[in-house]
Each structure stands twice: as C-alpha cells, then as structure tokens.
Amino acid sequence: MARRATRYLLRTLSWSALGATLAVSVAACNNQTGFSGSVGNTPNGPPLASYEILGTVGTPFTAIVSDTRSSWAFQGNVPLSVIICNNILPARIVATKTSVNSNLLSLEILSGGHVAELQSTSAPFGTVSVQVGGTLNSIAPPAGSLPNNSPDLRIFVSGPLNLSYSALVEDITTGFVINSRAPTLILFDTPDGKVDATFFGTPSFPTFTVDMTLDGVVVASVMQGPNATIREP
Amino acid sequence: MKYFFVHRTVRAPIVLFVIVICVLLASLGSAQAAKNTMVEVGFVGAPPPGFQNVLLNVQQVRINPNSSAAPDNAKWQVIPVPPGIGNAQQNAELQIDLNTSQNLPQLFNTALVQPYTYQIAEIDLDPNNPGTLVPNCPLAPPLGDTADGCINYPLQLSVGTTVITTPISGVAPKKGALAVLVLQVSVKINQAPTVPGGPYIATVTLAPLPNSVLGTVTGSVKVTSGSGSGTSTSKILPLSVTAEAIGTNTPIATAPLTNNNFTLILPAAGGPTAPGFGTLYDLAVSGGADTYAAERLQPLYPGQSITVGPIAVTGNQTLGNITGMITDGCVATKPITGATLQLLMPPTSNSTADCLTSPEQCVTVATANTDNAGNFPLPGTVTTPAEFDQVPILPKKGSYVMEITAPGYDPLMVLAIPSSNTSNKGSTCSTNGGTTFGACDLTLNTGYIAGTIPITPPNPGQTILVQVFAEDAGTNNIESALPMPISVTSSNSTVDFTLNVPPSIPMFDLFATTIDLYQGVSDPFQGHTIAVKSGVTGPAEPSMPGVCNTVTPTFDQTIDCIGHGSVIGTVANATLGTSVVLSKEDLASGDFVQITNSQVQNQSPNPNASNNYSFCVPADTYWLQRVQLPMPSESVTPSVAPTPEPEGTPSITVTIPPAPLLNGPTPTRSAAPTGAPTPTATATQKVTCPTTCSNPDGSCPGICNTVIKTIP
C-alpha cells in the first residue's frame, strides 16, 4: 500500500514536472510554436502583436485601440497588456495619461519578440500614439456597433502583477496563442460563434481572475489557478 | 512487468525533473548568494541643440569588473529596466529623453549585483530601434524635403553597434551597501536625414559623472516591540524607506533597511551658487509588519547629506487589508477605473497635521488603484503583495485617513479601518468623520460639461481624433480629459463632447487638441489649431445622490488644419525652478488659457549652459509667461509642497507663421513672424499630402516655422 502511494506520488510529481517543463517551453518559444492541436480544436491563428501600456506602476490612463474593423475604448492603470485576437491590421492605439504628475506613460508594440514601436510621455495628461502594420487613417467604429464588427467581446485577465502566462483563446474557427503577463485585456474582434479561453500559469502562479464581457455586460467570471478556463455562455 | 514498466516510465521524468530542479537551484543559488550589494544607475543627458526631444530606447545597463570583458563574460552584472516597464524576462525598454535630464539626473533603476570593483559600464540600446529625434522647426534656409520639424526621425548610430561603453571607476559596492553610477549620455549629430523620413546618423557616447550631482539621505529606524498578535502571512513586504516627490505618491527611490539603517541617494537640484536650488522629498516607512511612519525633509542639495531619525515604528503588528469598490455618484453601479487611493500620515515634523482636512500637509504611506470593475486594490506579485493587503491594524479600532482621487471627480477623504486578513468581515470606511462606518464601497461626485467645438472636417477617408481637457481656471492644473478621444469624420463639422469634471471647482478653462498622423506614422505633436474656452462656470454639486448637473459652453474657436510650428528661446537668470507657460487667448473673453509648459533646460553649472526652453505647437498666436517655483529655504522643512507663481514681465505674445502649403495656394494668413531670424520656408518639398493634416482642397502644411523669443 505504501509502495503504491509512493508510486502514485512519484507519478504525480513526474507529470507535474513534465507539465511545468512544457509550459515553460511554450512560454519561452514566444508564440512560435502554438499549441499544435494539443489544446483546443481549432487551427492556430497568426501570431499576435501585443500593445503594452507601461511606465510608472499605477499611473491611470484612458486609451482607444483600433484595427481596420473595430475600435475599443478602455481605462486602466500601468501596466496593462492589450491583445486583439482576429485583428485586421493596421492597428493603432492612443493613450492619455489622466494624472497631473510627471509619471511615465509608455506605449510599446511588441511584435515578433521585439519592440516594434515605442512612444512615451511624462507630461501631465500627456497623450501618446503608436501603430503597427501600416497606416490606419481612420479609427474604426466601436466594436459591437455594426453587424460586421459584433459583438464586443473582451476578456480581462488579472493576477499577480507581471507574472507571465500562456493562453489559448478561440472561437469556433480559429485559436490564438497568447504569451503575456497579467493584467491583460484581450479583445476578440468579431468572433465567429462563441469564445472560450484557457490560461496556463506557471506552478507559482496562484490564481487567475478572469472576466468576460459581451457588449459591456459581464457574462462569465472565473477565479482559478494556476490554470483557468472561461467560456462564453 | 507492470511494475517494471511503471518504474521505468516514472523514472525518466523523475531524473529529468531532479536534474532540472538541481540545475535551477544551483544556478539560482550561485547567482543570488553573491548578489548582496546594490548599484543605482542614473542618466544625465547631453543632447545636441535644436531638438524638442532626443529619445533613446534603453534595454538594460551592464557593468563588469574587467575593463576588457567580452560581451559574454560571466561577470557582467545587469541593471534591468524598472519594474513598471518590464523585468529580465520582458521584451520591453525604457525610453529616456536626454532633453529633460540635462539638469537633474534621471534615475534608471537599482539592482542587486556582486561586490566587485567595476571598471566598465555599458548601455544596451534597442538594436532595431535605438532611438528617436524630434527636431524643432528649421530656423532658416536652406530648407529641403527632409527639414521638417516637430516630427519623429529615427536615430541611426554611426558605429555598427547599439552597445555603448565607457570606463568607470569608484563603483565598488561593499556587502549590503549601495553604490551609485551616474552616466552622462551624449548625442552628436553626424548627418541629417538625406531622404524624407530618413534617419539622423549620430554618435552616442557615455561618460561617468561624479556622484556629487546627487544628494544623500541617511538615517535609522528604531523598531520597538509591539503588542499585536503578529501575522501569519508568509510573504510580508520588507521594512523599507521610500523617498517620494513632496506632496505626491510618486516614488523616486526605495531603500531596504540594513541593521535598521538606510541610505537613499537622490537627484538634487543644484545651480550656479552653493548650495544650489534644493529638492524636496517625503519619506514613507512601511513594511515588515511594523507601523507606518512618515517624514518631510528639508531641501536636499547636490553633494550634501541629510541625516534622519531615528524614525520610530512599532513592530509585531497584526496586518489587515483595505478593500472595496469605487463607483460613480451619478450613474448607478458605474465603476470608476483607475481611481487612486492613498493612506496619509502626518510627518514627524508636523505631527499634529489633520490629514482629513489638510491632506497637503501629510505624506502618502500606501497606495492602491481600482481595476476595471472599480475594485481595489490591484493584486500585487507573489513576492510583493499589494500595499493595501498588508496594512497594520491600529489598536482600539483606530483608523487611517484615506484619500480617493480620480480625474473628473471630487476627491473624497474618508477614515478607513483595515480588516484582519483572517476575518470574514471586510474593511470599513467612514465618510462622516468617524461617526459611522460601513463597507468601503464608496462613490465619487462628478458633474458634466457638455459642449460643441467647430471643426473643419477632414477629407473623406480620414479622421481626426480630438481630445478635450478641463483645468482649473487661470492655472495649468488639469482636472479631467475625455475618457476616449472623439473621432471626427468628413461628415462632421462640430465636435460634441461630454466631460466629467469635479463639481467642487467653481470655474474651468477648456482646451481641445488633436491627435494626428504625419504621413501615416504617429505624429508626436498636433498639426491642428488648439481651440480654447476660458471661464466656464462649473456644474453645481449634486442636489441629491444621483442627481448631477451639466453646463453647456460653446466654443468660438474652430479647429483647423494649420501645421506644426515651434517657439524656442532663452530665459534670463533662470534657476532650476523656472519654467515657461504657453497660453492661448480666448478672444471672446480676453482671458488666457494655459496649454502647456516647458522647464528651462541646460542651466549652469553645465558647460555651455544655454537656459533654453522650447515648444512644438501648431502655428498660431500664443502668450508666454515665466513661472517660478519658490526656492526652498535652506534647513527649513516646509509644511506643504510649494507651487509655482508667475514672475517678471507679464505675458509676451508670439506668433508662429503657418507653414507654406503643399499642393495648394500659399497661406492666406498675414501674421508677421516675431523674433529673429525671420523664417522663410519655401514650398519646394517633394513630400506628398497629407503631412500632419490636409485641407478640403487637398493641400497640406509643408515645412514648419520656428520663432525665437527671449524671456527676460
């Protein structure tokens, strides 16, 4: 009986080690590998750019991010990662600091593992703007305002600040692999059918708190760790 | 056989697991065991003249005890970008502006390193995008396709590497001590762009500066044993001392305690005469399951030291948390995202200060923010819990003064009692001075300004983003901005906006700016005129909860496509507290609305001190006013942060002539440029429209003009 318990413990430990190694490997590959069908049933979407709103921790801001089809307005505090699934580039993000101090607000676009564009301000209520994938001449209509950019689906992921995680976010046709750090605002541009997302934290990642909003209404909330799954009802 | 299979199946992963863990532990141990000293790195900028911004994208700083160390030498010690930007695992970088760090060092970061005597330092710039230059508009001919100003130009280094090195000396931190490395970063232009949008080719050099450009704050903390029950929380914030800019919650540097002693090395404003201008700081003592403590310091001067304490705190406190939700007082259940909550303590120098009625006399000892649902605090990290999750519980149900602020809302002062981390009862707050306490689910009062601004619509297919700001009338203290800029299309001739403003402010000045592109890329400065409206009476306080008021001003000024412009000059007898405010006149009232300000840069004792200021603003008529922050009195601890006041000659008018038009008629404005030399831009550019904006006839502003104005 003792041997069996020991064996069970060892087996659990070994699979945990393998799982941790896999998770670290996937994270280290920085969006190059995808989940290759091991999670979810959808083909992988293209690698996604990440819009990082950085600077002095806690600095409040308002922002609008737009691709060619949809735009989203939101508020938050530094730091925040923003990712658009199913986007159609070019995309642009504009952020305005909403404090009168000299705190730093920095907008960075991460693409292909490096900083593609960067703008900063320390001015009171200073504004910064960056874009990726070409020129976006017009800010698109708000997500959910037209039949061809509906619904407005957002997933807000919070957890211990700056802790990295991997995630698979998918609708019925495409899955997007995300490697980011909390907190993150995931915007799904015009999802095809219902959306679900699975978040993989490292073993030291205590708990994800994930909210899914549909057209401004919270439709699902999950608090789990080190992994968490949220589904559109 | 089954057991054999199971054993073999299990053994391989176990071996792998053990090896991985051992390697990780071994590397962690060797790396961390010796990293018991700290190095603080700061930058001083030495930019080339004629630029509005000289921006470098710094990935990390490295130091090595071997002056000829190879790039992969194992003894390189890394000082990464600060935590709010990223950390060792993040692909992020800190953008530093050499223009704004000419007088005072800009602290980069502090990191644990091994206790070597360091001989060489390097900064690693982003190899793909090492930096950006924003020149002022050109002063005089010859002008060409590549001479436009107030736009971004990429920086290309003249050498083939983005790793800049310099020999250093005197950086030899002992165990548990803090060493400082101040690096002067110089940029010299080798070649201006040769094609539109082309890079500036420049040489970036690095040189160590003496630590005398900084000041030192040393002190001790006396911890007496408390009578609390202690805490079982496994991760406790370490007891540390944080220096904050006076009267704010902006941390400048944090020092851990070593044998109850601390050392902070901080930027200190100097000047041509000793001891200098002086910089004011607050100290917040927190962490370690001890009570909070606060100090407000006398001015800190370069090369000098202030000794503080011993600062008394009481240990063995039971830690609790303050949690809750902040919502809008006008719209039921609407959360306020990004609200700031601060716990205030009176400083030792003014221990009788009433933080509830005079928060400006107090020091922030803990800060939290609300999330997207209005809940606070935001989670901390695994090793660094949120400050509001580790608040010492005061005896006899004692309370803290907590200030809640959010742009567009009235500040709210409450008393807050933390809840024990082991209790099911939440923290409680009182909005009536302690008469009654309830859950810390609080509402902030607001009111609305709903207005209309005329605008010349963009051409079909283009949009203009408009942002509107409200500030206290007659000041540049901005109170609010739109939660998202308004997108204007070709079918719009007006901008309709609704702005949250705090109803306790009797009168506001408003101004509207645009967020533009320049030839399809982000434009750091707007090309449309700024519309202003002065003296807008604010909305009244809500007559009852949920019943909020709106005022409806109408702008007289129109937002037009006009193009960039710049104003540059010098300020006579400037000190490190001198700045220049740029205002625009509301022609209907004759009052000025303050738009922006510029610190006077490159002052004595810098070699070749120029006392210069500069603005990149749309071509228009503005007013300039010298503003002076009072020099702190030596050896006197102020009770509140000083505020700048206008000084000297009343506002000076300046008119920036509009840029000549491309692909269209010449400008119709006849305003004569002021200052000298007179800009004579020629419309011979090959750049195609739109530049920063375009007119209904398809024309667009060409190369912008600069005006020189000396401020007496």
Side-chain angles (χ1 to χ4, degrees):
Chain A
M1 197 65 181
R3 279 180 60 186
R4 183 175 296 175
T6 305
R7 199 175 304 126
Y8 180 78
L9 176 65
L10 288 174
R11 190 186 306 161
T12 306
L13 276 173
S14 61
W15 282 115
S16 298
L18 272 180
T21 306
L22 182 63
V24 170
S25 303
V26 168
C29 289
N30 195 23
N31 224 4
Q32 301 306 305
T33 60
F35 282 82
S36 304
S38 60
V39 178
N41 300 314
T42 52
N44 285 344
L48 300 171
S50 172
Y51 309 85
E52 305 288 329
I53 304 174
L54 306 170
T56 307
V57 174
T59 302
F61 63 83
T62 68
I64 181 170
V65 61
S66 173
D67 63 12
T68 57
R69 182 166 48 191
S70 307
S71 66
W72 300 263
F74 54 91
Q75 295 169 279
N77 302 89
V78 169
L80 179 69
S81 300
V82 181
I83 293 169
I84 307 175
C85 294
N86 206 30
N87 63 350
I88 301 176
L89 294 178
R92 185 180 180 199
I93 182 168
V94 178
T96 299
K97 207 174 106 179
T98 53
S99 60
V100 292
N101 53 33
S102 58
N103 286 357
L104 179 71
L105 178 70
S106 187
L107 272 185
E108 303 187 10
I109 295 180
L110 300 185
S111 180
H114 71 270
V115 178
E117 196 171 354
L118 166 63
Q119 290 284 323
S120 304
T121 181
S122 295
F125 280 75
T127 295
V128 281
S129 165
V130 290
Q131 60 182 351
V132 64
T135 299
L136 184 69
N137 281 319
S138 302
I139 299 295
S145 64
L146 299 172
N148 67 351
N149 73 357
S150 293
D152 176 1
L153 190 137
R154 310 180 186 199
I155 301 172
F156 188 83
V157 187
S158 62
L161 208 60
N162 284 340
L163 271 190
S164 299
Y165 66 86
S166 299
L168 176 67
V169 183
E170 57 185 357
D171 60 9
I172 62 172
T173 56
T174 313
F176 296 91
V177 175
I178 292 172
N179 293 295
S180 189
R181 57 176 173 168
T184 311
L185 177 62
I186 299 170
L187 309 166
F188 207 122
D189 189 356
T190 320
D192 183 3
K194 293 192 174 182
V195 172
D196 61 66
T198 302
F199 299 87
F200 304 91
T202 58
S204 63
F205 203 119
T207 307
F208 284 105
T209 302
V210 188
D211 293 327
M212 179 184 285
T213 61
L214 192 63
D215 294 326
V217 178
V218 177
V219 294
S221 295
V222 169
M223 188 181 288
Q224 286 177 342
N227 303 328
T229 296
I230 191 166
R231 292 185 176 87
E232 182 183 343
Chain B
M1 190 65 186
K2 180 182 171 187
Y3 283 154
F4 174 79
F5 179 77
V6 169
H7 287 164
R8 291 295 296 269
T9 307
V10 169
R11 190 178 300 149
I14 288 175
V15 171
L16 172 66
F17 176 73
V18 170
I19 290 173
V20 168
I21 293 298
C22 290
V23 168
L24 286 175
L25 288 175
S27 60
L28 193 68
S30 63
Q32 291 196 341
K35 286 192 173 182
N36 52 21
T37 68
M38 288 188 294
V39 166
E40 176 181 293
V41 175
F43 295 125
V44 171
F51 288 85
Q52 185 71 210
N53 302 104
V54 179
L55 304 164
L56 296 181
N57 302 331
V58 180
Q59 292 184 325
Q60 63 181 9
V61 173
R62 298 203 304 171
I63 53 178
N64 197 294
N66 182 351
S67 60
S68 58
D72 58 350
N73 184 288
K75 290 188 175 178
W76 283 108
Q77 304 293 295
V78 174
I79 295 92
V81 293
I85 296 293
N87 53 41
Q89 287 78 44
Q90 299 298 326
N91 296 314
E93 51 205 37
L94 178 68
Q95 192 166 57
I96 60 170
D97 188 350
L98 301 191
N99 268 14
T100 59
S101 57
Q102 297 178 73
N103 300 324
L104 275 176
Q106 176 186 347
L107 293 187
F108 174 68
N109 200 3
T110 302
L112 284 170
V113 298
Q114 294 175 337
Y116 298 138
T117 297
Y118 291 96
Q119 303 288 335
I120 189 170
E122 68 176 37
I123 60 169
D124 296 357
L125 303 179
D126 184 341
N128 300 304
N129 180 16
T132 303
L133 297 175
V134 182
N136 294 317
C137 297
L139 269 172
L143 302 174
D145 298 338
T146 62
D148 208 357
C150 297
I151 60 173
N152 289 326
Y153 287 90
L155 169 68
Q156 180 180 323
L157 301 191
S158 56
V159 293
T161 176
T162 52
V163 177
I164 318 297
T165 62
T166 181
I168 59 173
S169 62
V171 181
K174 305 298 182 190
K175 180 181 178 183
L178 173 69
V180 174
L181 174 60
V182 182
L183 297 168
Q184 183 178 54
V185 186
S186 305
V187 172
K188 180 184 174 187
I189 302 298
N190 302 110
Q191 184 180 310
T194 54
V195 294
Y200 274 93
I201 299 175
T203 302
V204 180
T205 56
L206 209 55
L209 283 181
N211 295 345
S212 57
V213 297
L214 300 167
T216 304
V217 178
T218 60
S220 61
V221 176
K222 183 181 180 184
V223 184
T224 55
S225 182
S227 57
S229 60
T231 181
S232 59
T233 305
S234 58
K235 292 291 182 185
I236 298 176
L237 291 164
L239 183 60
S240 57
V241 181
T242 300
E244 302 168 338
I246 183 171
T248 74
N249 66 335
T250 304
I252 306 297
T254 297
L257 290 179
T258 304
N259 298 325
N260 283 354
N261 296 315
F262 68 89
T263 300
L264 288 157
I265 301 177
L266 302 166
T273 56
F277 188 83
T279 303
L280 296 168
Y281 291 102
D282 290 338
L283 296 184
V285 183
S286 62
D290 301 323
T291 54
Y292 294 127
E295 295 279 351
R296 182 155 285 175
L297 302 181
Q298 61 195 62
L300 182 65
Y301 299 101
Q304 295 195 4
S305 179
I306 294 175
T307 303
V308 181
I311 303 171
V313 299
T314 306
N316 199 34
Q317 299 295 300
T318 304
L319 296 181
N321 60 72
I322 300 177
T323 61
M325 175 187 279
I326 307 298
T327 54
D328 187 304
C330 295
V331 182
T333 71
K334 177 187 174 185
I336 299 177
T337 305
T340 302
L341 301 97
Q342 302 172 64
L343 297 186
L344 304 178
M345 291 276 291
T348 305
S349 58
N350 187 11
S351 58
T352 58
D354 184 350
C355 297
L356 204 57
T357 57
S358 304
E360 69 279 2
Q361 295 184 14
C362 295
V363 176
T364 301
V365 293
T367 300
N369 292 102
T370 55
D371 65 12
N372 64 320
N375 297 312
F376 69 90
L378 293 173
T381 65
V382 173
T383 54
T384 309
E387 293 176 359
F388 269 40
D389 281 339
Q390 296 202 344
V391 180
I393 295 177
L394 297 172
K396 300 177 182 176
K397 292 192 174 180
S399 58
Y400 292 95
V401 173
M402 184 165 74
E403 180 179 26
I404 304 114
T405 55
Y409 293 86
D410 274 340
L412 179 64
M413 306 296 299
V414 302
L415 295 174
I417 299 176
S419 165
S420 167
N421 286 327
T422 58
S423 168
N424 292 329
K425 295 179 180 177
S427 53
T428 54
C429 290
S430 170
T431 57
N432 53 16
T435 306
T436 56
F437 281 84
C440 294
D441 295 337
L442 305 164
T443 58
L444 300 186
N445 279 339
T446 190
Y448 304 104
I449 295 178
T452 300
I453 309 169
I455 187 169
T456 302
N459 291 335
Q462 297 176 10
T463 57
I464 302 172
L465 290 178
V466 177
Q467 177 59 277
V468 184
F469 299 90
E471 61 190 9
D472 299 349
T475 76
N476 62 350
N477 183 35
I478 298 175
E479 294 281 359
S480 180
L482 293 175
M484 62 175 284
I486 296 170
S487 185
V488 179
T489 67
S490 58
S491 60
N492 304 121
S493 59
T494 58
V495 181
D496 298 325
F497 70 91
T498 300
L499 189 62
N500 280 71
V501 290
S504 62
I505 305 295
M507 193 168 287
F508 295 93
D509 289 341
L510 308 180
F511 64 95
T513 66
T514 57
I515 304 162
D516 297 319
L517 297 175
Y518 186 93
Q519 295 224 300
V521 299
S522 300
D523 190 352
F525 297 98
Q526 69 271 26
H528 292 83
T529 52
I530 299 170
V532 302
K533 179 70 181 173
S534 67
V536 176
T537 301
E541 295 275 0
S543 54
M544 56 185 294
V547 180
C548 300
N549 298 295
T550 303
V551 296
T552 55
T554 301
F555 277 68
D556 307 302
Q557 299 182 357
T558 301
I559 297 175
D560 283 321
C561 172
I562 194 69
H564 292 138
S566 57
V567 186
I568 63 173
T570 59
V571 179
N573 303 315
T575 70
L576 290 184
T578 308
S579 58
V580 178
V581 170
L582 180 139
S583 304
K584 184 176 177 183
E585 185 177 8
D586 178 355
L587 297 174
S589 68
D591 294 331
F592 300 144
V593 175
Q594 298 188 16
I595 307 293
T596 183
N597 70 336
S598 170
Q599 291 291 322
V600 179
Q601 297 292 343
N602 193 21
Q603 297 185 27
S604 177
N606 287 1
N608 306 315
S610 57
N611 281 358
N612 63 287
Y613 73 93
S614 62
F615 294 101
C616 268
V617 284
D620 208 335
T621 296
Y622 299 100
W623 297 79
L624 302 173
Q625 172 69 58
R626 175 189 177 127
V627 172
Q628 184 67 45
L629 188 70
M631 181 181 287
S633 300
E634 192 175 356
S635 303
V636 174
T637 303
S639 60
V640 298
T643 54
E645 296 289 341
E647 185 182 84
T649 310
S651 291
I652 300 167
T653 184
V654 59
T655 298
I656 306 170
L661 294 178
L662 299 177
N663 304 329
T666 53
T668 54
R669 286 197 181 197
S670 57
T674 56
T678 303
T680 54
T682 54
T684 57
Q685 302 90 342
K686 297 172 185 172
V687 176
T688 55
C689 291
T691 48
T692 184
C693 54
S694 56
N695 297 306
D697 64 1
S699 63
C700 64
I703 291 179
C704 59
N705 295 311
T706 261
V707 174
I708 299 174
K709 206 73 176 176
T710 300
I711 309 289

